[in-house]
Amino acid sequence: VLYWVVAGFFDLLDYLQLPALEKYRIHSKKEQQQRNHISRAHVFWRVMLQHGIQLTVGVIMTLADPGFCDAKPWKGLLRAVPEFALAMLVFDSWQYLIHRWMHESKTLYNAIHSHHHRLIVCYAYGALYNHPLEALLLDTVGGVVTFYASGISCRMGVTFFTFASIKTVLDHSGYRFPVNLLHDVFPNNAAYHDVHHDPRGFRKNYSQPFFTHWDWLLGTRMDPEELGRMDRERDARRAAAAKEYKEVKGAAGATTHL
């Protein structure tokens, strides 16, 4: 539910296009419409399918192991905090491993992961837009692995996966506000992940949704500012070319007049 509440907030901002907030968009509304290759309705129903998959797996886990929550009782805050931190590390590791594998394998990318990259310009509720098999492997199975590997209690597990969902929505929101507590705490933010959706950063910034240490360690990190520098250099070249064309055209006109 919170996934759609947070995503709905950003979708409302997209719709209203408030001048005071438009300056915090990473890409313009026009660019979003021109560069994305799928309809928003298609994205909506695919995300709903993923939520259905996650719900189904949760029901199956409950039926297969009805006492699993009793075996993982709440142990108090002092135990919950390190388990929560471990869960973040496990989930990040799983996401990096599977995400990069789907990029390195041409077969997996073309058949599965390319669906997510149809969103070149991200928006909030498209955060979980994936092929159903990727939804199952990357997020759902990753969640199960994280739950058991971290030893997190069911109570804290609900908090963790709710938090991870909200963080994923924020990272795909397309907005970079001057104050955002989650983005200030975690280096993996909307600008960082936007690099990965840009063709120039296609094989960079695989990490999600919390930290960036795997990108640092394995040489796949690209600073968002580098894309900004590329854009500024491109704009400067275009401006210089336009100026040169105008001067040449003006000189040719003057010669003809003579």
mmCIF file of all heavy atoms in Angstrom, residues 242-258:
data_model
loop_
_atom_site.group_PDB
_atom_site.id
_atom_site.type_symbol
_atom_site.label_atom_id
_atom_site.label_comp_id
_atom_site.label_asym_id
_atom_site.label_seq_id
_atom_site.Cartn_x
_atom_site.Cartn_y
_atom_site.Cartn_z
ATOM 1 N N ALA A 242 26.109 25.646 -33.766
ATOM 2 C CA ALA A 242 25.036 26.532 -34.201
ATOM 3 C C ALA A 242 25.570 27.938 -34.491
ATOM 4 O O ALA A 242 25.171 28.578 -35.472
ATOM 5 C CB ALA A 242 23.945 26.586 -33.132
ATOM 6 N N LYS A 243 26.492 28.390 -33.629
ATOM 7 C CA LYS A 243 27.080 29.716 -33.827
ATOM 8 C C LYS A 243 27.908 29.750 -35.110
ATOM 9 O O LYS A 243 27.824 30.706 -35.888
ATOM 10 C CB LYS A 243 27.960 30.060 -32.619
ATOM 11 C CG LYS A 243 28.611 31.438 -32.716
ATOM 12 C CD LYS A 243 29.468 31.719 -31.492
ATOM 13 C CE LYS A 243 30.122 33.081 -31.597
ATOM 14 N NZ LYS A 243 30.990 33.365 -30.410
ATOM 15 N N GLU A 244 28.692 28.672 -35.333
ATOM 16 C CA GLU A 244 29.514 28.613 -36.540
ATOM 17 C C GLU A 244 28.640 28.588 -37.789
ATOM 18 O O GLU A 244 28.929 29.254 -38.791
ATOM 19 C CB GLU A 244 30.401 27.369 -36.489
ATOM 20 C CG GLU A 244 31.337 27.249 -37.689
ATOM 21 C CD GLU A 244 32.229 26.009 -37.594
ATOM 22 O OE1 GLU A 244 32.137 25.289 -36.575
ATOM 23 O OE2 GLU A 244 32.988 25.775 -38.555
ATOM 24 N N TYR A 245 27.561 27.810 -37.720
ATOM 25 C CA TYR A 245 26.649 27.732 -38.872
ATOM 26 C C TYR A 245 26.029 29.095 -39.164
ATOM 27 O O TYR A 245 25.924 29.512 -40.328
ATOM 28 C CB TYR A 245 25.548 26.714 -38.578
ATOM 29 C CG TYR A 245 24.459 26.670 -39.624
ATOM 30 C CD1 TYR A 245 24.673 26.020 -40.845
ATOM 31 C CD2 TYR A 245 23.232 27.280 -39.403
ATOM 32 C CE1 TYR A 245 23.680 25.985 -41.814
ATOM 33 C CE2 TYR A 245 22.240 27.258 -40.366
ATOM 34 C CZ TYR A 245 22.462 26.606 -41.568
ATOM 35 O OH TYR A 245 21.480 26.576 -42.521
ATOM 36 N N LYS A 246 25.656 29.804 -38.111
ATOM 37 C CA LYS A 246 25.049 31.114 -38.285
ATOM 38 C C LYS A 246 26.040 32.093 -38.898
ATOM 39 O O LYS A 246 25.687 32.894 -39.782
ATOM 40 C CB LYS A 246 24.571 31.632 -36.922
ATOM 41 C CG LYS A 246 23.794 32.937 -36.999
ATOM 42 C CD LYS A 246 23.267 33.327 -35.622
ATOM 43 C CE LYS A 246 22.480 34.621 -35.698
ATOM 44 N NZ LYS A 246 21.967 35.022 -34.345
ATOM 45 N N GLU A 247 27.314 32.004 -38.454
ATOM 46 C CA GLU A 247 28.331 32.912 -38.998
ATOM 47 C C GLU A 247 28.609 32.606 -40.461
ATOM 48 O O GLU A 247 28.745 33.522 -41.280
ATOM 49 C CB GLU A 247 29.608 32.788 -38.168
ATOM 50 C CG GLU A 247 29.471 33.346 -36.751
ATOM 51 C CD GLU A 247 30.708 33.091 -35.910
ATOM 52 O OE1 GLU A 247 31.567 32.291 -36.361
ATOM 53 O OE2 GLU A 247 30.828 33.675 -34.809
ATOM 54 N N VAL A 248 28.708 31.300 -40.790
ATOM 55 C CA VAL A 248 28.966 30.908 -42.179
ATOM 56 C C VAL A 248 27.809 31.323 -43.071
ATOM 57 O O VAL A 248 27.997 31.823 -44.184
ATOM 58 C CB VAL A 248 29.199 29.397 -42.268
ATOM 59 C CG1 VAL A 248 29.223 28.928 -43.732
ATOM 60 C CG2 VAL A 248 30.500 29.009 -41.573
ATOM 61 N N LYS A 249 26.602 31.121 -42.586
ATOM 62 C CA LYS A 249 25.431 31.482 -43.366
ATOM 63 C C LYS A 249 25.374 32.992 -43.571
ATOM 64 O O LYS A 249 25.034 33.471 -44.667
ATOM 65 C CB LYS A 249 24.176 31.012 -42.634
ATOM 66 C CG LYS A 249 22.887 31.222 -43.439
ATOM 67 C CD LYS A 249 21.681 30.647 -42.686
ATOM 68 C CE LYS A 249 20.411 30.871 -43.510
ATOM 69 N NZ LYS A 249 19.211 30.322 -42.797
ATOM 70 N N GLY A 250 25.747 33.728 -42.503
ATOM 71 C CA GLY A 250 25.757 35.184 -42.623
ATOM 72 C C GLY A 250 26.804 35.663 -43.622
ATOM 73 O O GLY A 250 26.558 36.565 -44.422
ATOM 74 N N ALA A 251 27.980 35.026 -43.580
ATOM 75 C CA ALA A 251 29.050 35.404 -44.517
ATOM 76 C C ALA A 251 28.653 35.082 -45.944
ATOM 77 O O ALA A 251 28.914 35.850 -46.876
ATOM 78 C CB ALA A 251 30.334 34.657 -44.140
ATOM 79 N N ALA A 252 28.006 33.925 -46.147
ATOM 80 C CA ALA A 252 27.555 33.532 -47.492
ATOM 81 C C ALA A 252 26.516 34.494 -47.999
ATOM 82 O O ALA A 252 26.505 34.869 -49.192
ATOM 83 C CB ALA A 252 27.000 32.098 -47.450
ATOM 84 N N GLY A 253 25.644 34.946 -47.120
ATOM 85 C CA GLY A 253 24.616 35.903 -47.521
ATOM 86 C C GLY A 253 25.225 37.233 -47.924
ATOM 87 O O GLY A 253 24.796 37.876 -48.869
ATOM 88 N N ALA A 254 26.259 37.656 -47.167
ATOM 89 C CA ALA A 254 26.918 38.918 -47.469
ATOM 90 C C ALA A 254 27.627 38.848 -48.816
ATOM 91 O O ALA A 254 27.602 39.813 -49.602
ATOM 92 C CB ALA A 254 27.908 39.251 -46.352
ATOM 93 N N THR A 255 28.262 37.698 -49.100
ATOM 94 C CA THR A 255 28.955 37.504 -50.381
ATOM 95 C C THR A 255 27.970 37.547 -51.531
ATOM 96 O O THR A 255 28.228 38.182 -52.589
ATOM 97 C CB THR A 255 29.690 36.154 -50.384
ATOM 98 O OG1 THR A 255 30.598 36.116 -49.297
ATOM 99 C CG2 THR A 255 30.443 35.960 -51.696
ATOM 100 N N THR A 256 26.838 36.906 -51.366
ATOM 101 C CA THR A 256 25.807 36.886 -52.425
ATOM 102 C C THR A 256 25.302 38.302 -52.689
ATOM 103 O O THR A 256 25.064 38.702 -53.831
ATOM 104 C CB THR A 256 24.645 35.963 -51.991
ATOM 105 O OG1 THR A 256 25.150 34.659 -51.755
ATOM 106 C CG2 THR A 256 23.581 35.920 -53.088
ATOM 107 N N HIS A 257 25.142 39.060 -51.607
ATOM 108 C CA HIS A 257 24.640 40.426 -51.733
ATOM 109 C C HIS A 257 25.620 41.291 -52.520
ATOM 110 O O HIS A 257 25.207 42.135 -53.323
ATOM 111 C CB HIS A 257 24.423 41.019 -50.328
ATOM 112 C CG HIS A 257 23.907 42.419 -50.355
ATOM 113 N ND1 HIS A 257 22.606 42.727 -50.744
ATOM 114 C CD2 HIS A 257 24.515 43.612 -50.048
ATOM 115 C CE1 HIS A 257 22.437 44.051 -50.686
ATOM 116 N NE2 HIS A 257 23.588 44.592 -50.265
ATOM 117 N N LEU A 258 26.932 41.039 -52.294
ATOM 118 C CA LEU A 258 27.936 41.800 -53.026
ATOM 119 C C LEU A 258 27.926 41.423 -54.501
ATOM 120 O O LEU A 258 28.164 42.249 -55.380
ATOM 121 C CB LEU A 258 29.319 41.538 -52.423
ATOM 122 C CG LEU A 258 29.536 42.128 -51.004
ATOM 123 C CD1 LEU A 258 30.889 41.698 -50.464
ATOM 124 C CD2 LEU A 258 29.439 43.657 -51.063
#
